[in-house]
Amino acid sequence: EFFSLLDNNDQIVFSMDGISADTVGQYRVNFKYKDFVQNVKSMTRARKQYNLNVTWQFIPMRFNENEIHDAAKIALKADNA
């Protein structure tokens, strides 16, 4: 498994450009939102198991600025899972 190759000196960065496939699709071409959601779930399980450092990024733009608070809630939920 990928996460077993990492240690607590490594860092995983998740960049959320939106909280829906439609929003993210305005910025990223050929982005597979379902894969992103699955990766977040995998990371959430592995973070505690392997003591990993995880950072969430959200760059506000006109098309996603209305989702900032919801994105923060998603990140906090994943960090506390």
Side-chain angles (χ1 to χ4, degrees), residues 3-59:
F3 295 112
S4 66
L5 301 174
L6 305 173
D7 64 31
N8 62 356
N9 293 316
D10 294 315
Q11 184 151 346
I12 297 173
V13 178
F14 278 93
S15 180
M16 292 179 64
D17 300 316
I19 60 168
S20 71
D22 290 336
T23 303
V24 176
Q26 292 181 47
Y27 183 71
R28 295 190 186 267
V29 177
N30 298 323
F31 183 75
K32 295 179 181 157
Y33 190 77
K34 288 182 181 181
D35 290 347
F36 175 77
V37 171
Q38 184 59 44
N39 289 337
V40 168
K41 289 178 181 179
S42 295
M43 179 279 306
T44 299
R45 288 189 300 271
R47 182 181 52 82
K48 289 182 180 178
Q49 181 180 353
Y50 296 106
N51 192 29
L52 302 174
N53 295 311
V54 178
T55 300
W56 292 86
Q57 293 180 342
F58 189 96
I59 300 172

